[in-house]
Amino acid sequence: MNIASKYNPADVEDKWYRYWMEKGFFHSEPDQREPYTIVIPPPNVTGVLHMGHMLNNTIQDILVRRARMMGKNACWTPGTDHASIATEAKVVGKLSQEGIKKSDLTREQFLEHAWDWTRKHGGLILEQLKKLGAGCDWERTCFTMDEKRSESVVQTFVDLYNKGLIYRGVRMVNWDPAAQTALSDEEVNYREQQGNLYYLRYQIVGEDGYAVVATTRPETIMGDTAVCINPNDPKNSRLKGKKVIVPLVNREAPIIEDDYVDAEFGTGCLKVTPAHDVNDYMLGEKYGLEVIDIFNDDGTLNHHGLQYEGQDRFAVRRQIVKDLEAAGLMEKTEAYENKVGFSERTNVPIEPKLSMQWFLKMETLAQPALEAVMNDTIRLIPAKFKNTYRHWMENIKDWCISRQLWWGHRIPAYFLPQGGYVVAETPEKALLLARKQTGNNSLQPSDLRQDEDVLDTWFSSWLWPISVFDGIKNPDNSDIAYYYPTSDLVTGPDILFFWVARMIMAGYEYRKKPCFRNVYLTGIVRDKTGRKMSKSLGNSPEPLDLIARYGADGVRMGLMLSAPAGNDILFDEALCEQGRNFNNKIWNAFRLIKGWETAAIPQPEAAAIAGRWFETQLTQTIESVNESFDKYRISEALMDVYKLFWDEFSSWYLEIVKPGFQQPVDEQTYRTTIAFFDALLRLLHPFMPFITEELWQALEERNDGESIMISAMPESNRDEKTENIMEDFEQVKAIVANIRTIRTQKNIPVKEPLVLQVIGEYRPACDPVLIKTANLSAIEPVAEKTPGAVSFLVKTTEFAVPMASNINREEERAKLLEELTYQQGFLTSVLNKLNNEHFVSKAPEKVIENERKKQADAESKIKSLQESIANLR
């Protein structure tokens, strides 16, 4: 197989991905092997690849490829999410460009447009993942609104309703005026906002005085139905039992008393607007107050807004401030910072709103899900997220599961002509239930009206680990029995509650088991300055452009070099360049090895020693990599293999065993080197699938259907008899490093052989390696070094290189004196610290130990320098 002089990812990546697909290597069916299962966090069906997807799916692909090479039956199930709010917003936007309003369409007409949009744009992101090398089982691709998943969602709703866990009622909800739908509490992000605190005058009925009320929302006064004071607040006791007039509205409202009011906030008087504040709503229920909803669904004011009807809420705020000031009803305004809730989807301020919605009771569902994480039946990685998880689960609220949208799973509730409703999987079943419930057998399908709302998108994705294997509709099928519980989940901590916690609840409710064993929580991908990546900031590179520039393997490596679990990723494109350089290093090492000529000659002793050493080094790295994967330290595992290839294999092993110029290599060394290269490629494959497949196929003759991705991961081959070789070899490295430094400092050519003198204890086991790598003519144990020799210490053993005619004595003496002066000054500064009682009494013990080590090192260097200077006289 001819190998190109330079690695070009474009020549390799599509070729091997097509090969893997054609051979069905990604596909899994139940068998006798241990299963390893991952379900993909389904991206939005019309979404495109961003850096967060790149990171998340790189990690999943690494885990799946490794599991397959460890002999497991690996199944990575892909799919997409219908994303109700996001997709509907895109379809509405597209229709708007065509001059069509959603309100001008019937539900059926709108859904035709939505399905057209989904068919046109849907699944693009999955095709993009293939460019990354994602080894998903594409034959198992699911969509949260395909037939099986939709039937599973509807069946689950009916089941939970029949269990008494789903109910319908008017509640205060988070309303998104942009999407015009309710949101769950988890879909609201609170941010500090700089605003104002407005002090409004409410005239006391029958008096000339005022009750002054502080509020951040003067635009809601049209919904005020009371003013509340704390009964224990002496400064407002004069208001007890009285009424006030709501400014501009001229409606009387009672003064009520409740301990809820913070007497220290503002003036201690609270305007009560039951329709537009959660706490006010509770006061309203407690004291039987009228509820006046002043907002339309789009955030404009309705007829209760009087002269402001039809205007946007924030425009009204600006205008009403002017009107209150003109009427003399504004006491003062103060700058004020408070937390405002924003829609997670549309990024507009949410509006608390009373609305008829469907809710799911969470308390009983949450209990087993809480216990599973706290007792590590399900592990969160990193574990620091356990406390956050516990806090949320212990304070869980009922889940608002209805959304005022058309795109999504329509709620299977059917309203009856005379009031009430039935819940059923199909209209046919609903009709039978309705006839039974009403006793009216003449009811027709046209008499029933299905609820217009759809279910929250998360209500389908919380079933994902079960529904992808059809475990809701067919709970005893062979796939769910084999692949469930799944093994690992890789996702972001931002959806720990939206998705992960709810999947765990569904798992225990419908399978009585955890839905996965481990949850690997990635960090947020940020730029190198720490800013979150976004297109608006212009700091988010286009993933496919990165792949085109650096190759998929280079980008994967760049991401993983900066991706410790749970910590934010400071992504720098230079890391992709580092990944590409590593590709080139691997490629060039392969070309070097395959360029050797072999001959039936004896194996040099240095090569034999290097082989034993690298075998031990390889075994240690395999064990280290295994341990890192066990702890989900995937970046550390990559660094271990990276260092093994770059530092140990390329810089040391190959330098030792490579033959001289135009000389052959012995057959044993060649076979050993090819075996090492094969093992290194297999270790690297999960991280860098494309280049490893290309080179593995070229390493020796392969049959059609063979692939590195279905070969076995190298195993540890520890031999206690070779343990000493690691220590001996580290000594060789240190000696060689010192000799290279001497050559550089003394301008001695690498080709000029040197003599190495050894003063003290020394194991000569690796002498052949040392002679070759340092280009020595001899290694001589001596009692005393030659006068004028340059010496150095490795641990407690002194080594010396006689200089003979190699140095200018005066120049060398000047250099040594300069270094001696520096070391003596350094020692003085260290001793000053150690002789300072204040420093010694206050500094931690480790710091003091470090200073003492500095002292010992400096004293040793000074002694050696003084001896060297004396030898030059």
Side-chain angles (χ1 to χ4, degrees):
M1 182 174 180
N2 291 326
I3 200 80
S5 60
K6 288 185 177 179
Y7 176 56
N8 182 8
D11 296 339
V12 168
E13 292 173 357
D14 287 346
K15 173 181 73 176
W16 290 118
Y17 200 90
R18 192 165 53 249
Y19 178 77
W20 297 330
M21 291 282 285
E22 288 169 356
K23 300 302 179 186
F25 292 147
F26 298 145
H27 184 58
S28 171
E29 290 291 340
D31 60 23
Q32 301 308 309
R33 291 174 292 169
E34 178 188 346
Y36 177 84
T37 318
I38 286 186
V39 293
I40 201 171
N44 289 1
V45 65
T46 58
V48 292
L49 203 62
H50 58 62
M51 295 305 292
H53 293 131
M54 293 277 281
L55 170 68
N56 186 290
N57 287 282
T58 294
I59 293 169
Q60 290 176 82
D61 194 51
I62 289 168
L63 292 171
V64 168
R65 287 179 183 274
R66 177 176 165 82
R68 188 181 290 114
M69 294 178 75
M70 299 291 282
K72 297 176 184 177
N73 187 354
C75 180
W76 182 12
T77 308
T80 50
D81 188 279
H82 65 280
S84 291
I85 295 177
T87 304
E88 181 149 328
K90 286 182 179 179
V91 175
V92 169
K94 177 242 183 194
L95 291 172
S96 179
Q97 290 174 357
E98 298 170 4
I100 303 171
K101 292 181 180 177
K102 178 186 172 186
S103 56
D104 293 337
L105 300 174
T106 65
R107 185 188 195 106
E108 289 68 28
Q109 288 171 332
F110 178 83
L111 288 176
E112 280 182 29
H113 285 286
W115 276 111
D116 286 345
W117 175 270
T118 300
R119 280 188 282 267
K120 183 177 179 182
H121 299 282
L124 172 64
I125 191 167
L126 299 184
E127 291 304 310
Q128 291 175 324
L129 283 177
K130 293 176 182 178
K131 294 289 184 186
L132 184 66
C136 300
D137 188 345
W138 300 110
E139 294 176 42
R140 293 181 175 273
T141 303
C142 300
F143 174 45
T144 52
M145 275 181 64
D146 64 26
E147 188 176 351
K148 281 185 180 178
R149 263 47 64 181
S150 295
E151 289 175 357
S152 298
V153 168
V154 170
Q155 181 175 315
T156 300
F157 183 97
V158 174
D159 175 65
L160 293 170
Y161 175 79
N162 290 335
K163 289 174 178 174
L165 293 174
I166 286 179
Y167 64 94
R168 185 170 182 259
V170 175
R171 297 288 186 277
M172 182 70 71
V173 297
N174 306 297
W175 187 261
D176 181 336
Q180 295 189 37
T181 181
L183 303 174
S184 67
D185 289 344
E186 293 72 46
E187 291 169 295
V188 179
N189 298 324
Y190 286 89
R191 301 205 291 265
E192 293 287 349
Q193 293 287 297
Q194 190 62 50
N196 291 306
L197 196 57
Y198 303 93
Y199 289 76
L200 313 185
R201 293 173 175 167
Y202 289 61
Q203 185 171 2
I204 301 168
V205 174
E207 298 181 19
D208 291 335
Y210 295 93
V212 178
V213 175
T215 180
T216 58
R217 303 201 63 194
E219 71 275 15
T220 62
I221 59 174
M222 282 73 76
D224 288 2
T225 54
V227 168
C228 191
I229 61 171
N230 191 309
N232 304 311
D233 180 8
K235 68 178 180 293
N236 285 315
S237 60
R238 64 188 177 87
L239 298 174
K240 290 183 179 183
K242 297 180 180 180
K243 292 184 177 181
V244 293
I245 297 172
V246 179
L248 300 182
V249 182
N250 296 322
R251 180 175 60 241
E252 288 190 6
I255 299 286
I256 61 173
E257 302 171 43
D258 197 278
D259 290 338
Y260 163 74
V261 176
D262 180 359
E264 301 304 315
F265 177 79
T267 62
C269 293
L270 175 78
K271 66 190 281 296
V272 183
T273 318
H276 300 295
D277 183 273
V278 174
N279 297 310
D280 290 10
Y281 175 67
M282 292 165 63
L283 285 172
E285 286 210 315
K286 186 174 180 180
Y287 295 98
L289 301 177
E290 184 183 0
V291 178
I292 303 173
D293 186 345
I294 67 167
F295 288 122
N296 295 313
D297 288 350
D298 63 357
T300 59
L301 272 68
N302 60 26
H303 67 282
H304 291 299
L306 305 178
Q307 67 266 38
Y308 307 104
E309 183 178 0
Q311 297 180 42
D312 180 75
R313 52 190 170 149
F314 297 115
V316 173
R317 180 182 298 178
R318 291 189 292 272
Q319 184 58 48
I320 209 167
V321 167
K322 295 176 184 176
D323 294 345
L324 287 163
E325 287 173 342
L329 296 172
M330 180 75 73
E331 180 91 2
K332 62 177 178 176
T333 302
E334 292 178 348
Y336 182 70
E337 192 177 80
N338 67 326
K339 282 189 175 180
V340 177
F342 284 77
S343 166
E344 196 261 344
R345 296 293 184 187
T346 63
N347 202 34
V348 300
I350 60 103
E351 197 61 61
K353 183 179 173 67
L354 278 175
S355 182
M356 178 68 79
Q357 301 289 341
W358 292 90
F359 296 87
L360 174 59
K361 296 177 183 177
M362 299 297 281
E363 192 173 347
T364 55
L365 291 172
Q367 196 54 44
L370 172 61
E371 290 171 3
V373 169
M374 298 321 293
N375 65 23
D376 287 332
T377 300
I378 295 173
R379 283 199 303 157
L380 299 187
I381 301 153
K384 68 181 181 181
F385 288 105
K386 283 175 72 173
N387 284 336
T388 314
Y389 180 90
R390 185 186 69 232
H391 175 76
W392 187 79
M393 295 292 276
E394 288 177 346
N395 296 279
I396 199 165
K397 295 178 183 175
D398 288 356
W399 176 9
C400 176
I401 56 174
S402 46
R403 297 291 179 270
Q404 288 62 56
L405 302 165
W406 281 350
W407 176 248
H409 300 102
R410 195 169 178 181
I411 290 175
Y414 299 81
F415 296 101
L416 307 176
Q418 305 303 318
Y421 58 86
V422 293
V423 171
E425 285 100 333
T426 64
E428 294 75 21
K429 288 183 179 180
L431 183 61
L432 292 174
L433 262 179
R435 287 174 176 173
K436 182 178 179 182
Q437 187 169 308
T438 61
N440 182 359
N441 288 326
S442 65
L443 282 177
Q444 297 301 309
S446 58
D447 295 325
L448 304 185
R449 179 178 59 84
Q450 188 174 355
D451 195 311
E452 291 289 320
D453 292 351
V454 300
L455 287 160
D456 179 9
T457 299
W458 298 106
F459 194 85
S460 54
S461 48
W462 81 317
L463 302 174
W464 191 245
I466 306 172
S467 65
V468 293
F469 298 115
D470 200 20
I472 296 292
K473 294 289 293 176
N474 298 293
D476 300 319
N477 77 76
S478 58
D479 275 0
I480 193 76
Y482 179 74
Y483 292 113
Y484 188 96
T486 66
S487 307
D488 295 326
L489 178 76
V490 181
T491 189
D494 52 327
I495 54 173
L496 182 58
F497 311 120
F498 284 131
W499 190 45
V500 178
R502 290 170 178 164
M503 281 192 290
I504 297 172
M505 293 181 215
Y508 279 102
E509 180 67 16
Y510 287 104
R511 302 298 301 177
K512 311 303 177 192
K513 292 179 183 177
C515 47
F516 26 69
R517 304 295 186 192
N518 305 288
V519 181
Y520 181 103
L521 296 161
T522 66
I524 296 169
V525 183
R526 300 182 181 276
D527 66 17
K528 59 185 177 184
T529 64
R531 297 180 304 169
K532 188 173 180 179
M533 284 190 169
S534 72
K535 288 190 176 177
S536 61
L537 288 174
N539 65 344
S540 181
E542 193 64 46
L544 294 185
D545 289 347
L546 287 176
I547 289 174
R549 212 154 43 242
Y550 301 105
D553 290 337
V555 176
R556 288 166 66 114
M557 186 171 175
L559 282 164
M560 293 313 302
L561 285 173
S562 56
N567 294 328
D568 288 352
I569 289 88
L570 297 181
F571 179 77
D572 185 346
E573 206 167 307
L575 292 168
C576 294
E577 194 169 344
Q578 186 178 343
R580 181 178 62 188
N581 292 344
F582 187 44
N583 275 314
N584 293 335
K585 184 78 171 178
I586 298 167
W587 192 264
N588 291 335
F590 177 84
R591 292 183 68 242
L592 172 71
I593 296 165
K594 294 298 278 187
W596 292 344
E597 295 289 335
T598 60
I601 56 176
Q603 183 182 36
E605 199 175 350
I609 294 167
R612 291 196 298 275
W613 162 73
F614 191 76
E615 178 73 36
T616 307
Q617 183 74 64
L618 177 64
T619 287
Q620 288 188 359
T621 302
I622 290 169
E623 291 172 357
S624 173
V625 166
N626 290 343
E627 183 181 353
S628 291
F629 269 100
D630 289 344
K631 295 176 179 176
Y632 292 82
R633 293 175 178 165
I634 302 173
S635 293
E636 290 181 23
L638 171 59
M639 279 308 300
D640 282 345
V641 187
Y642 175 84
K643 288 175 181 175
L644 177 68
F645 193 100
W646 194 295
D647 297 341
E648 313 298 355
F649 184 72
S650 296
S651 298
W652 285 101
Y653 176 80
L654 289 182
E655 287 300 312
I656 297 165
V657 304
K658 72 179 181 183
F661 182 63
Q662 293 188 336
Q663 296 296 310
V665 68
D666 68 280
E667 291 173 347
Q668 177 60 48
T669 297
Y670 184 75
R671 285 195 300 271
T672 301
T673 304
I674 291 292
F676 286 154
F677 201 87
D678 185 292
L680 288 166
L681 290 177
R682 284 180 285 138
L683 276 175
L684 281 165
H685 177 74
F687 304 102
M688 308 174 79
F690 292 111
I691 191 172
T692 52
E693 183 74 83
E694 175 77 2
L695 296 181
W696 189 83
Q697 294 283 350
L699 202 56
E700 57 183 74
E701 284 293 321
R702 306 289 183 191
N703 297 320
D704 184 47
E706 285 191 276
S707 171
I708 191 172
M709 69 175 282
I710 55 171
S711 65
M713 189 60 69
E715 295 182 3
S716 168
N717 186 25
R718 184 171 285 279
D719 183 351
E720 290 181 9
K721 287 183 278 188
T722 62
E723 288 297 304
N724 285 337
I725 202 168
M726 296 303 295
E727 189 177 342
D728 292 342
F729 216 89
E730 287 307 306
Q731 186 179 47
V732 167
K733 287 183 186 178
I735 295 168
V736 170
N738 277 284
I739 293 172
R740 286 174 178 170
T741 300
I742 291 168
R743 285 185 184 276
T744 302
Q745 290 175 344
K746 312 302 181 191
N747 296 317
I748 303 170
V750 175
K751 292 181 179 179
E752 185 175 325
L754 298 173
V755 172
L756 179 68
Q757 296 179 336
V758 184
I759 306 100
E761 287 187 17
Y762 171 70
R763 286 166 51 87
C766 293
D767 277 3
V769 172
L770 185 53
I771 287 168
K772 179 170 184 178
T773 53
N775 190 15
L776 302 176
S777 58
I779 300 173
E780 300 174 347
V782 296
E784 289 186 9
K785 63 192 173 193
T786 301
V790 180
S791 64
F792 57 88
L793 286 172
V794 174
K795 293 190 176 176
T796 56
T797 303
E798 186 176 11
F799 297 86
V801 178
M803 289 292 97
S805 60
N806 288 323
I807 62 168
N808 180 311
R809 287 175 173 269
E810 287 306 313
E811 283 183 9
E812 181 62 17
R813 189 167 185 279
K815 273 187 191 176
L816 292 173
L817 283 169
E818 185 180 350
E819 175 65 13
L820 178 63
T821 302
Y822 169 78
Q823 290 295 339
Q824 287 171 333
F826 178 74
L827 178 60
T828 300
S829 69
V830 172
L831 290 173
N832 285 341
K833 277 187 184 178
L834 291 173
N835 293 330
N836 184 327
E837 288 183 16
H838 182 73
F839 171 78
V840 173
S841 63
K842 296 287 185 182
E845 187 59 37
K846 279 189 177 178
V847 172
I848 295 170
E849 280 179 26
N850 192 37
E851 292 300 317
R852 286 183 177 137
K853 185 177 181 301
K854 288 180 187 177
Q855 177 191 351
D857 288 347
E859 287 171 346
S860 174
K861 286 176 182 175
I862 288 167
K863 182 183 176 187
S864 179
L865 286 165
Q866 287 171 334
E867 288 177 0
S868 296
I869 291 166
N871 288 332
L872 286 170
R873 286 175 184 158

